[in-house]
Amino acid sequence: MALINMSAREIHCKLVYYGIGFCGKTTNLQYIHRQAAAPTKGELLSIATETERTLFFDFLPLDLGTVHGFRVRFSLYTVPGQVLYERTRATVLNGADGVIFVADSQADKLAENRQSMVELAKNLQKMNRKITDYPLIMQYNKRDLPGVLSVERLESQLNVLKAPSFEAVAFKGEGVFETLRAASKAVISKL
Amino acid sequence: MTERAPELDHPVLVVLTPEHIAMMTDALEELVREVSITSALLIDRSGGVVASFGATANLNTAALGALLAGAYQSSLEIARLINEPDVQALYQQGAREQVYNVPVGDQWLLTAIFSPSTAVGGVRVAAEEISRGLQDTLADMQSATPLRLQKLVNPDLRASVGDTIDLLFKD
């Protein structure tokens, strides 16, 4: 839920990275945290297992500074990708103003990606949000791996809503900021 | 009389006026002073800190808001799994600082942070009373948001935020 605080002159929005396990959600946040300028980024908080798999969420606050007298802040979250954490994903998604769906481009992950997209739509519906009118951005990650599905195939299988989509190699940073720019602008456009 | 917009089923955006922030801060101050706690926060359940009072200067309130909202939402899920319909409070006991969370309506949380020398029973009673008092303020804030929003967010602001995003979010 976006908050506009007229007293502190602040706009605060929440963006959630959603997708299956090991698709690269945390990698996106880690890259943003490494690359963003010091005054913009806050501390990256990760609630993860000992093997660095997301247990609850990752959280990265971003401060865009003052624009037209308003301080603009984004809170970036990731959900845990593993199948059994379905309820945790719904919890983290609560109140999100926009979603970046990170899809693993490998062929053997297509069914899981589709399942995750169906789950996302269901969770948004529970929040009384229409997915057709919701700031949603697709990111096709791991484009550097051999034998990945074509973008056309991923679009036809995963992006039935025709949301803006971007190719990425998140661990190298390729496509990471492009995706974030599109998602944050989509959120702002809905205010 | 406050101009009312149609009620939203589930708010997607809330405009907090200076008057509302002042009322919330007054309520948090009352809680801090009445039971001598360290600090009090009002948090929306998606993780944003709306208002605070007390010794918060050295707290990472952004991370605290995210974690407290997450912890509360988790407790609701635990309740659901054990067929408990409600979570009335969440208490974290520590050696130096303790945390007591109570819901305020369906969308907000009131958090009290206090030392073990303060009796948790007193915090509970005071926090529940303040929570009840805050519900009207928050309901008014939510229902009047669409009307206020029209005056606030204009195309110029959106365009400028877009330019800032282009400037900051790049390799």
Side-chain angles (χ1 to χ4, degrees):
Chain A
M1 178 173 67
L3 292 170
I4 300 182
N5 184 332
M6 290 301 296
S7 183
R9 309 282 295 174
E10 274 185 12
I11 298 175
H12 186 193
C13 304
K14 176 175 178 177
L15 257 179
V16 173
Y17 285 74
Y18 205 96
I20 67 172
F22 286 122
C23 69
K25 303 175 292 294
T26 300
T27 311
N28 267 270
L29 253 62
Q30 287 169 337
Y31 184 79
I32 294 164
H33 185 247
R34 275 200 308 274
Q35 294 297 316
T40 305
K41 65 184 174 188
E43 191 183 332
L44 175 61
L45 176 79
S46 290
I47 311 234
T49 64
E50 284 175 4
T51 54
E52 295 190 358
R53 298 212 58 185
T54 305
L55 182 62
F56 197 166
F57 59 73
D58 306 300
F59 168 70
L60 176 62
L62 296 175
D63 182 349
L64 276 63
T66 304
V67 184
H68 278 243
F70 281 94
R71 192 146 195 191
V72 183
R73 296 175 191 272
F74 276 89
S75 293
L76 308 187
Y77 289 76
T78 67
V79 297
Q82 294 174 79
V83 176
L84 76 153
Y85 293 144
E86 197 258 325
R87 296 308 306 163
T88 310
R89 281 191 288 283
T91 291
V92 177
L93 191 64
N94 182 40
D97 302 300
V99 168
I100 293 167
F101 185 89
V102 183
D104 188 326
S105 298
Q106 296 177 94
D108 62 349
K109 299 292 182 186
L110 182 60
E112 264 185 87
N113 284 325
R114 287 178 64 168
Q115 179 61 36
S116 181
M117 181 54 94
V118 168
E119 181 195 277
L120 170 64
K122 211 184 291 177
N123 283 332
L124 286 174
Q125 204 173 13
K126 282 183 195 159
M127 285 164 49
N128 290 337
R129 304 298 300 266
K130 287 182 193 152
I131 195 167
T132 49
D133 186 37
Y134 188 80
L136 171 70
I137 301 293
M138 304 290 293
Q139 184 188 75
Y140 302 128
N141 193 23
K142 305 193 183 183
R143 299 306 299 166
D144 58 326
L145 294 183
V148 293
L149 294 173
S150 68
V151 170
E152 291 72 26
R153 181 87 197 280
L154 290 164
E155 285 278 284
S156 68
Q157 293 292 310
L158 300 174
N159 195 7
V160 289
L161 295 165
K162 308 289 179 212
S165 61
F166 300 90
E167 293 182 63
V169 183
F171 87 98
K172 291 181 183 169
E174 291 172 17
V176 170
F177 277 109
E178 213 178 349
T179 310
L180 177 61
R181 276 198 301 274
S184 40
K185 283 183 180 177
V187 167
I188 291 296
S189 75
K190 293 285 180 188
L191 292 185
Chain B
M1 194 175 151
T2 311
E3 195 179 7
R4 292 268 178 182
E7 297 261 344
L8 291 170
D9 286 337
H10 194 96
V12 294
L13 189 148
V14 168
V15 176
L16 308 144
T17 65
E19 294 77 25
H20 286 138
I21 293 287
M23 284 160 82
M24 289 185 265
T25 308
D26 286 350
L28 297 181
E29 181 177 0
E30 191 185 330
L31 177 63
V32 168
R33 298 204 190 285
E34 194 179 315
V35 280
S36 300
I37 61 172
T38 315
S39 50
L41 308 168
L42 187 65
I43 297 164
D44 90 82
R45 289 206 201 167
S46 56
V49 176
V50 178
S52 63
F53 188 85
T56 56
N58 294 323
L59 290 178
N60 182 347
T61 51
L64 254 182
L67 288 168
L68 288 165
Y72 188 78
Q73 290 297 125
S74 290
S75 70
L76 288 178
E77 284 302 321
I78 293 166
R80 193 181 62 84
L81 290 171
I82 58 171
N83 298 316
E84 164 56 51
D86 196 13
V87 175
Q88 293 175 351
L90 204 60
Y91 172 46
Q92 177 172 312
Q93 190 171 13
R96 291 171 58 190
E97 292 290 350
Q98 321 199 64
V99 182
Y100 194 85
N101 273 312
V102 287
V104 185
D106 292 336
Q107 292 293 323
W108 313 88
L109 282 178
L110 174 61
T111 298
I113 301 172
F114 55 102
S115 73
S117 62
T118 302
V120 65
V123 174
R124 179 175 66 84
V125 171
E128 284 171 2
E129 195 182 317
I130 298 287
S131 164
R132 279 192 295 275
L134 278 169
Q135 284 186 31
D136 287 343
T137 305
L138 294 168
D140 176 65
M141 213 169 63
Q142 284 180 200
S143 62
T145 282
L147 290 171
R148 293 186 182 118
L149 189 62
Q150 288 167 13
K151 298 171 193 162
L152 275 176
V153 183
N154 54 49
D156 284 350
L157 174 63
R158 287 197 188 96
S160 296
V161 174
D163 291 344
T164 306
I165 287 167
D166 283 337
L167 194 71
L168 294 176
F169 296 166
K170 63 181 182 188
D171 292 294

